[in-house]
Amino acid sequence: MADLNGIMLLMGSLLLVSILAAVVSSRLGAPLLLVFLVVGMLAGEEGLLGIGFDQPEIAFLIGSLALVIIIFDGGMRTKRERFRVALWPAISLATLGVALTSTLTALGIVWLFDLSWPIALLIGAILSSTDAAAVFGIFQSQNLKIKQRVASTLEIESGTNDPMAVILTMTMTTLIASGEAFSFTVVGLEVAQQLTIGFIAGWFGGRLFVLMAEKITAQFAFFPLLAAASAVVVFALTSSIGGSGFLAVYLMGYKIGNARLPQLMHILQVQDGLAWLSQIMMFLILGLLVTPSHLIENLGLSLSIAGLMIFIVRPLAVVVSLAPFSFPIREQFFISWVGLRGAVPIILALYPWLSGLPGQELFFDVAFVVVLVSLILQGWTLAPLARWLKLEVPLEAEPDRRMALDQVGSNDPLELWSYEISERSPACDHYWYELRWSVPLEFVGLIRDGEWLQPTERPKLLEDDHVLVVAKVQHIDEISRVLAAGGKARSLNSSDFFGDFTLNGELSLADVASFYPLGHLNPQELTMSLHAFFSQKFHRRMVVGDQLTLGNVQLTIRELNEENRITKVGVKLLDGSDSKSG
C-alpha cells in the first residue's frame, strides 16, 4: 500500500505541477506542450526527482491511446465549412507534402552524414508529420485567431498527415527489419491500402455512432465516455485489419462533430478535458523516457536535421504542395513556418525501438531533439509572425457561457447563453424592447451585482451586466453580434480591422467608386461586383478577412453565405502613406 500511495502521489504531483506551470507559461507565450515535456525531463532519472523509467512499451501504449483521443477530438472540431476552402490544399500537404518531407530530409541526411538510404528514409518518415494541437494551443493562449483559409489548411493537414507518417514509418521499419529491398511500389500499395481501409472504417464508425446516439436513451453524462470508447475500438479494429486507425478515428470524429446530435455539446466539453489530459500524460511520459546525456551523442546530427527541416525541407514541401491552389505568398510563408513537430514523431520513434532495429535509440534521440527545437524556435514565434504577416482576424462574437437544453424535447437544439455587456456592445445602454432581431429568441433576464433582474422589470442593459437568452443553436452568430460584438477580451477590434462602414457584396465597383476614391480601374473591372472582383483576385477561395487595397480604400471581406458568396464587405479609408494600388 505504501508503494501504491507513493506512485499515486507522484503521478498526481506531476500532473498538478504540469498544469500550474502551463498556466504561468501561457502568459509568457511559451508552447504548453514544451512545458509538459520539460516537467517530464526534470522528473526523469537525470532530473531533480531521478525517476528511472525505461519502458518504451508502456510509453508507446500510453502515447498511442493519447493520440487516439487527441485526433478524435480534432476531427469532431473540424467543421464542414472548413473543407470548403482547405480540403484539397490540406490533402496535398498531408500526402505529397509528407512524402516530400520524408524524401528531402532523407536526401539531406545521406548527403551530409553518409547514412544509408533506408535509415535516412525512416528518420524522414518519423519526422514528417506536424502537430495542430501545439499550434492552436499557442493561438488560444495568445487570444489569436487567424484567417480561416490558413487555419483550416493547418488543422486538416495535421489531422490527416499523422496517418501518412505512421504508414511510412511502419513500412520502412518492416522493410529494414526483414532485410527486404526498398520498393516504391510496395510502399505505395501499403499506403493506398491503409488509407482506403481507414477511410471506410472511419466513415462507417462515425455513422454507426450517430445512429446509436439517436436510438439510445441514457443520461447525457454517459455519451462522452461512449464516444471515447468507440474511438478506441474503431482504432484497434481498423489497425488489426491493415488500415490506418488514426485516419479512421479522425473521420469518425468529423462525422460525429458535424451531426446534429443533442448530446454533442456534452461530448465536446468532456472531450476537451480528455484531450488536454492525454497531451499532458503523453508528454510527461515521453519526458520521463528520455535520458538527456544520451542526446549529446547525436546532438550534431539532430540539430542539423532540425535546421534542414525548418529552413529548407518544410518550405520546399509547402511551395510544391500548394502550387496548384494559388495561395498568397505570405500565407505560404506562414504555413511553411508552422511545420511544428509535436508528440507524434517521438512516439513513432519508439516503433523501430520496439522492433529491435540496430541503433534503435538513434531514432528516439533525433526525434526528441528535433521536436524540442521546433517547439522552442517555431512555437515561440508563431503568434508574433501571424500578426506581422497580417493574418490575424477579429475573434468571433460569442457567448461567455453556454448551457445546452438537450432534454426539453425541442426538434431544434436549444441553448441558454450568457453575455457580458461591454461598452462596445451594440446593446449597451438600450432596453431589450429597443433591440430588433431577425431570429427568434427569448430574453430570460440579466444578472447585475449578483441579482437576477427578470424581463418583467424591463431593465436597461448596462456595462458589466450578464444577459441571459435562450435561442436555437443555429442563430448564435446573429445574436452574438448584437450582445457580444467588440467585447473587452477582443485582441483585435472589429471596427479597426473591417472599418466603420459596410457594403453589400453585390454592389458594382462603379457604384463604390462613385463615393469612395478607388483609384484607377479599367472599364471591365468597374462593371464587376465586389463579390466577382474578390473571387477573381483570390481564385474563388475567399475567406473572411481577405483584403484588397484600391487607391486610398481598403476593402475587407466581412461576411460570406453558405454558397461562399460575399454578402458584406468592410470599407476603411487609409492615409496616403498606407495606401497602395491594386
Side-chain angles (χ1 to χ4, degrees):
M1 283 298 294
D3 291 341
L4 179 61
N5 291 335
I7 293 173
M8 293 177 65
L9 175 62
L10 177 63
M11 293 177 61
S13 299
L14 286 176
L15 188 60
L16 180 62
V17 169
S18 298
I19 295 172
L20 293 177
V23 172
V24 175
S25 66
S26 65
R27 298 181 180 180
L28 303 175
L32 299 184
L33 302 187
L34 176 63
V35 176
F36 306 145
L37 202 61
V38 170
V39 171
M41 293 175 65
L42 291 175
E45 61 178 321
E46 294 183 356
L48 299 177
L49 299 183
I51 300 172
F53 181 74
D54 189 21
Q55 300 291 333
E57 297 87 355
I58 296 177
F60 187 77
L61 174 62
I62 293 175
S64 298
L65 286 173
L67 279 179
V68 169
I69 299 299
I70 294 168
I71 293 174
F72 180 58
D73 181 72
M76 284 199 294
R77 297 179 191 278
T78 302
K79 299 305 178 185
R80 187 174 288 110
E81 58 267 20
R82 297 182 184 177
F83 282 82
R84 171 181 58 82
V85 295
L87 176 60
W88 294 114
I91 293 298
S92 179
L93 285 169
T95 52
L96 177 60
V98 167
L100 284 172
T101 299
S102 180
T103 304
L104 292 174
T105 302
L107 180 62
I109 293 172
V110 171
W111 184 58
L112 292 173
F113 297 97
D114 199 29
L115 291 178
S116 66
W117 267 104
I119 297 297
L121 284 169
L122 178 54
I123 293 175
I126 289 171
L127 298 172
S128 59
S129 71
T130 57
D131 191 336
V135 174
F136 290 98
I138 294 169
F139 289 160
Q140 185 176 10
S141 67
Q142 295 292 304
N143 204 28
L144 175 70
K145 180 184 178 182
I146 61 174
K147 282 187 179 182
Q148 185 189 30
R149 179 171 49 246
V150 179
S152 299
T153 299
L154 291 170
E155 184 175 351
I156 299 172
E157 177 206 4
S158 186
T160 54
N161 69 6
D162 289 342
M164 186 73 171
V166 172
I167 294 168
L168 291 176
T169 300
M170 293 176 63
T171 303
M172 289 305 307
T173 302
T174 303
L175 289 176
I176 294 173
S178 63
E180 298 179 12
F182 176 79
S183 169
F184 281 104
T185 303
V186 172
V187 175
L189 290 174
E190 179 70 18
V191 169
Q193 172 188 312
Q194 294 229 15
L195 292 179
T196 302
I197 296 176
F199 183 87
I200 295 172
W203 192 91
F204 276 105
R207 183 60 184 158
L208 182 61
F209 180 86
V210 171
L211 292 174
M212 186 167 54
E214 291 173 343
K215 300 297 182 183
I216 290 179
T217 301
Q219 294 184 17
F220 279 78
F222 285 104
F223 283 96
L225 303 178
L226 181 64
S230 300
V232 174
V233 169
V234 168
F235 170 81
L237 289 176
T238 306
S239 300
S240 66
I241 60 175
S244 172
F246 291 112
L247 178 60
V249 166
Y250 180 79
L251 290 175
M252 177 183 177
Y254 171 76
K255 290 288 291 182
I256 296 172
N258 286 275
R260 299 185 63 179
L261 291 175
Q263 307 94 337
L264 183 59
M265 183 62 67
H266 291 275
I267 295 174
L268 288 175
Q269 288 173 344
V270 176
Q271 268 296 135
D272 191 40
L274 288 177
W276 274 111
L277 178 63
S278 298
Q279 291 186 69
I280 294 173
M281 293 302 298
M282 179 169 55
F283 273 81
L284 283 177
I285 290 295
L286 294 175
L288 284 171
L289 187 63
V290 71
T291 304
S293 61
H294 291 174
L295 301 178
I296 305 298
E297 299 175 11
N298 299 300
L299 188 60
L301 172 64
S302 303
L303 292 176
S304 299
I305 293 175
L308 177 70
M309 296 192 71
I310 292 172
F311 296 107
I312 298 176
V313 172
R314 173 68 177 181
L316 285 175
V318 168
V319 169
V320 173
S321 300
L322 296 183
F325 304 105
S326 304
F327 267 60
I329 295 297
R330 61 181 178 179
E331 294 182 11
Q332 291 190 50
F333 181 79
F334 185 75
I335 293 172
S336 299
W337 188 250
V338 186
L340 201 66
R341 266 60 197 177
V344 175
I346 305 178
I347 293 173
L348 291 182
L350 294 174
Y351 195 78
W353 191 345
L354 296 174
S355 300
L357 294 188
Q360 54 197 18
E361 292 187 1
L362 166 69
F363 305 103
F364 183 82
D365 292 345
V366 169
F368 195 93
V369 172
V370 170
V371 169
L372 205 59
V373 171
S374 179
L375 288 174
I376 293 173
L377 179 60
Q378 295 171 290
W380 239 304
T381 57
L382 285 184
L385 183 63
R387 291 189 169 107
W388 181 68
L389 292 172
K390 297 182 179 179
L391 297 179
E392 183 185 14
V393 296
L395 295 172
E396 294 178 356
E398 58 186 13
D400 298 290
R401 296 286 186 273
R402 299 176 64 173
M403 180 184 297
L405 304 177
D406 305 301
Q407 299 180 348
V408 298
S410 172
N411 292 327
D412 293 313
L414 294 174
E415 290 186 356
L416 172 66
W417 301 327
S418 170
Y419 295 91
E420 181 178 358
I421 300 297
S422 76
E423 60 182 4
R424 293 182 177 272
S425 300
C428 188
D429 294 327
H430 288 278
Y431 292 96
W432 183 262
Y433 64 82
E434 294 177 334
L435 305 178
R436 295 293 180 264
W437 302 100
S438 60
V439 296
L441 76 162
E442 187 63 38
F443 175 47
V444 181
L446 58 84
I447 307 297
R448 179 182 296 162
D449 298 327
E451 297 294 329
W452 176 31
L453 304 183
Q454 300 182 42
T456 54
E457 300 181 41
R458 299 169 66 87
K460 178 186 284 189
L461 278 56
L462 304 178
E463 186 177 356
D464 296 330
D465 284 350
H466 289 268
V467 177
L468 307 177
V469 297
V470 174
K472 297 179 181 178
V473 174
Q474 61 265 34
H475 297 150
I476 187 170
D477 291 337
E478 293 93 328
I479 297 170
S480 296
R481 275 194 287 269
V482 176
L483 297 176
K488 295 177 181 177
R490 308 309 180 204
S491 59
L492 184 64
N493 184 264
S494 294
S495 61
D496 292 340
F497 184 78
F498 293 109
D500 293 321
F501 304 100
T502 301
L503 301 177
N504 189 300
E506 297 303 324
L507 278 177
S508 71
L509 284 172
D511 293 331
V512 179
S514 64
F515 46 90
Y516 285 109
L518 298 185
H520 176 72
L521 293 170
N522 62 50
Q524 182 180 0
E525 290 175 333
L526 288 171
T527 62
M528 300 173 69
S529 67
L530 289 170
H531 167 78
F533 190 68
F534 270 95
S535 182
Q536 181 189 73
K537 295 293 184 180
F538 288 92
H539 306 276
R540 297 183 300 279
R541 294 181 178 275
M542 302 87 68
V543 295
V544 171
D546 280 340
Q547 294 179 332
L548 291 173
T549 302
L550 301 176
N552 291 339
V553 178
Q554 180 177 278
L555 302 173
T556 306
I557 298 178
R558 187 160 192 157
E559 185 178 283
L560 293 152
N561 63 17
E562 295 181 357
E563 288 77 36
N564 199 35
R565 292 194 65 85
I566 299 173
T567 55
K568 293 182 181 180
V569 175
V571 182
K572 183 177 181 180
L573 295 176
L574 303 174
D575 295 333
S577 58
D578 297 330
S579 62
K580 57 183 179 180
S581 61

